[in-house]
């Protein structure tokens, strides 16, 4: 029998700006809907639930995964996508305000995803928008859909080891000061119980104090360290991040920290549990001087980074289905695909 969902948030027509909006039931609602999207993301079925709807995919900062997976998710639900990929090709570069841009684009779209380098910019944009806006990353602040897909992945990976999110140990490694994915993931994990966080970073790039306090006040254990080897011990998940070069004043400043914390097969085998799940929001910086997650782990069964990206499509489909209120219409409009297709998801 299907579980009865009790979301506390009315997803219909809502902006998704911060993970702080979510209750634990809301998160589980997103996960349940995401699971139901698998046959569509796998191309086993087609749906026209969002036929006629238009996504405004507004990216004012570089992106591969977030932009393309939101676009892909909308297409898979039967909708169309219009997008910008660079501030230079929009009239913001001619001095147009976020307010005017929001008023204009929301006249063209039914829902908008926006990424922008300034903290708070997506919230400002959403205030002027006539349609729901999803935060695709606002500077070093938040990346809520990434946190949802990360937590969805953690849940699935731990389930296959007969473990739960409650009571898990997680190490977060790298640039925890500027990394919006670890900010959002940590704040989402506040909703769960008895988690041990090992925060491994240079002291200049520590997790912001307000987030550390939030975790401690919620009863979680927080250990901050600069010692990678001890920090890697006894974790269910290790979540690596790159040095966020674009948030530093100069490249030279970022170079001070690049390559300081690296995971490769040898370090993993020596310090981690045999079933520790390896995660990274991507992009990983594979340049020799950085290389925080080595390619010699690419074939390791515990490397979940491409299962994360696969799960991103499911979670983003779920957000669209909930916000545009078509969860029940997805299966009603379903049909089989009429073209050759292959199984493609690592996460299935
Ligand atoms: N994880 C993530 O946000 O990747 P992109 O910058 O490629 O969108």
């Amino acid at each position: 029998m299907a579980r009865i969902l009790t979301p506390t948030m009315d997803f219909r027509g809502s902006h998704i700006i911060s993970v702080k909006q979510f209750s634990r039931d809301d998160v589980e609602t997103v996960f349940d809907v995401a699971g139901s999207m698998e046959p569509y993301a796998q191309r086993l079925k087609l749906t026209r639930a969002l036929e006629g709807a238009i996504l405004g995919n507004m990216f004012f900062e570089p992106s591969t995964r977030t932009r393309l997976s939101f676009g892909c998710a909308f297409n898979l639900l039967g909708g169309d996508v219009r997008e910008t990929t660079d501030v230079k090709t929009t009239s913001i570069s001619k001095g147009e305000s976020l307010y005017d841009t929001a008023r204009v684009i929301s006249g063209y779209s039914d829902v908008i995803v926006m990424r922008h380098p300034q903290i708070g910019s997506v919230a400002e944009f959403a205030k002027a928008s006539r349609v729901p806006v999803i935060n695709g990353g606002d500077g070093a602040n938040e990346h809520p859909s990434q946190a949802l897909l990360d937590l969805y992945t953690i849940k699935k990976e731990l389930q296959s080891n007969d473990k739960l999110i409650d009571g898990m140990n997680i190490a977060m490694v790298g640039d925890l000061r500027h990394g919006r994915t670890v900010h959002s993931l940590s704040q989402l994990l506040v909703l769960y119980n008895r988690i041990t966080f090992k925060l491994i970073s240079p002291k200049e790039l520590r997790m912001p104090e307000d987030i550390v306090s939030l975790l401690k006040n919620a009863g979680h254990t927080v250990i901050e360290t600069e010692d990678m080897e001890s920090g890697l011990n006894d974790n269910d998940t290790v979540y690596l991040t790159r040095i966020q070069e674009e948030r530093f004043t100069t490249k030279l400043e970022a170079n001070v920290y690049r390559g300081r914390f690296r995971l490769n097969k040898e370090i993993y085998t020596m310090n981690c549990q045999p079933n520790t799940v390896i995660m990274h929001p991507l992009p990983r910086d594979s340049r020799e001087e950085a290389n925080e997650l080595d390619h010699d782990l690419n074939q390791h069964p515990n490397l979940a980074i491409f299962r994360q990206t696969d799960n991103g499509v499911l979670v983003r489909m779920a957000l669209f289905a909930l916000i545009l209120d078509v969860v029940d219409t997805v299966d009603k409009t379903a049909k089989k695909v009429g073209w050759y297709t292959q199984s493609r998801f690592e996460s299935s």
Side-chain angles (χ1 to χ4, degrees):
M1 199 172 82
R3 213 160 53 81
I4 296 168
L5 304 171
T6 52
T8 54
M9 168 173 152
D10 185 1
F11 283 91
R12 287 172 307 167
S14 289
H15 301 305
I16 306 290
I17 305 299
S18 165
V19 292
K20 295 187 195 90
Q21 291 171 245
F22 291 89
S23 68
R24 186 162 167 165
D25 280 351
D26 297 332
V27 173
E28 294 298 328
T29 297
V30 174
F31 291 176
D32 283 355
V33 177
S36 74
M37 296 297 167
E38 274 217 26
Y40 302 97
Q42 286 270 24
R43 319 296 199 269
L44 300 173
K45 287 194 216 168
L46 294 176
T47 177
R48 305 303 302 162
L50 286 183
E51 189 165 32
I54 293 176
L55 165 67
N57 216 14
M58 309 303 296
F59 278 69
F60 301 115
E61 209 184 37
S63 169
T64 295
R65 275 145 293 275
T66 312
R67 181 172 66 82
L68 291 172
S69 65
F70 266 120
C72 182
F74 208 76
N75 286 150
L76 286 167
L77 288 167
D80 290 321
V81 182
R82 297 287 176 273
E83 61 186 2
T84 62
T85 56
D86 187 348
V87 73
K88 290 198 289 289
T89 60
T90 71
S91 290
I92 287 183
S93 67
K94 296 183 247 173
E96 187 163 42
S97 65
L98 279 182
Y99 176 88
D100 286 0
T101 308
R103 292 298 298 264
V104 172
I105 303 304
S106 57
Y108 302 159
S109 316
D110 299 284
V111 58
I112 293 170
V113 176
M114 182 184 164
R115 171 174 288 189
H116 192 282
Q118 275 168 14
I119 292 175
S121 53
V122 182
E124 183 188 334
F125 184 94
K127 276 190 198 140
S129 173
R130 293 172 272 172
V131 299
V133 176
I134 302 175
N135 184 355
D138 62 324
N141 186 31
E142 276 227 41
H143 195 346
S145 66
Q146 178 74 43
L148 288 165
L149 78 88
D150 287 340
L151 193 55
Y152 184 78
T153 304
I154 291 171
K155 184 178 177 183
K156 286 181 81 169
E157 298 287 320
L158 294 190
Q159 258 170 1
S160 63
N161 293 333
D162 290 325
K163 289 180 178 174
L164 300 170
I165 298 168
D166 289 320
M168 75 163 174
N169 294 356
I170 182 168
M172 295 181 176
V173 187
D175 185 353
L176 307 184
R177 176 179 170 197
H178 300 111
R180 58 192 171 202
T181 68
V182 283
H183 299 169
S184 287
L185 179 57
S186 301
Q187 291 177 94
L188 207 50
L189 285 170
V190 163
L191 300 172
Y192 291 77
N193 301 314
R194 304 179 321 281
I195 296 173
T196 299
F197 291 81
K198 310 245 189 84
L199 304 180
I200 308 169
S201 72
K203 58 177 178 307
E204 299 85 355
L205 303 184
R206 286 172 55 189
M207 183 73 85
E209 193 50 49
D210 59 327
I211 297 180
V212 172
S213 299
L214 208 62
L215 296 175
K216 288 181 178 169
N217 292 340
H220 300 306
T221 303
V222 181
I223 300 163
E224 294 184 88
T225 180
E226 291 190 82
D227 180 27
M228 175 99 169
E229 288 189 7
S230 67
L232 284 180
N233 274 327
D234 196 24
N235 292 299
D236 301 298
T237 304
V238 55
Y239 188 104
L240 297 130
T241 64
R242 87 189 150 87
I243 300 300
Q244 307 280 303
E245 178 184 310
E246 63 276 31
R247 311 282 173 232
F248 289 80
T249 318
T250 64
K251 190 169 184 280
L252 277 179
E253 210 187 312
N255 283 346
V256 173
Y257 306 105
R258 229 190 286 274
R260 188 114 147 235
F261 297 112
R262 292 180 162 159
L263 190 69
N264 60 27
K265 199 188 253 180
E266 187 187 353
I267 295 169
Y268 178 84
T269 309
M270 280 177 62
N271 298 289
C272 295
Q273 302 288 320
N275 57 6
T276 300
V277 180
I278 306 165
M279 296 178 62
H280 191 304
L282 303 182
R284 55 179 155 170
D285 186 344
S286 296
R287 290 171 288 192
E288 201 179 334
E289 64 273 22
N291 201 26
E292 70 271 359
L293 177 55
D294 199 283
H295 282 245
D296 71 358
L297 282 161
N298 279 0
Q299 304 309 319
H300 199 291
N302 297 345
L303 185 79
I305 58 177
F306 302 116
R307 296 192 282 275
Q308 281 174 268
T309 53
D310 287 347
N311 290 334
V313 176
L314 303 175
V315 165
R316 288 168 175 142
M317 288 176 81
L319 288 176
F320 287 135
L322 285 160
I323 291 168
L324 295 174
D325 199 18
V326 292
V327 173
D328 294 337
T329 319
V330 171
D331 281 341
K332 284 185 194 147
T333 59
K335 58 178 187 177
K336 281 187 175 170
V337 291
W339 30 273
Y340 171 73
T341 184
Q342 284 180 280
S343 176
R344 68 196 65 219
F345 269 33
E346 283 193 18
S347 50
S348 297

